[in-house]
Amino acid sequence: MSERSGRESGVPCRGGLSSADVTPPVRFYREIFGWEAVFDPRPESGGYGRSTLRGEAVAGIGPRRGDGVSSALPGQVDLFCGVS
């Protein structure tokens, strides 16, 4: 997997996944990309974690929120782009 040292405007820089059940996507990304999921154990984190590769964060992962459109979907992928 390639690595970057900076972010260009309009170029994807990170992603996140919200899922009704985070276990299947954690397993999928571990098997396909070798990512490991690290979850924040504090209750205030809301079950949110990070997928890492070689100790570096590559994506966020967490339970689906119960608000609006996202609550009607089994999962949701968010892609974030750099802004300068």
Side-chain angles (χ1 to χ4, degrees), residues 10-31:
V11 175
C13 60
R14 69 179 177 96
L17 171 73
S18 299
S19 179
D21 180 1
V22 297
T23 303
V26 164
R27 186 179 314 117
F28 173 80
Y29 289 111
R30 181 178 49 240
E31 291 174 4

Side-chain angles (χ1 to χ4, degrees), residues 51-63:
S51 291
T52 63
L53 180 66
R54 295 186 298 271
E56 297 292 326
V58 292
I61 188 166

Side-chain angles (χ1 to χ4, degrees), residues 64-74 76:
R64 183 184 67 201
R65 296 182 307 250
D67 59 345
V69 174
S70 67
S71 65
L73 303 172
Q76 175 178 333

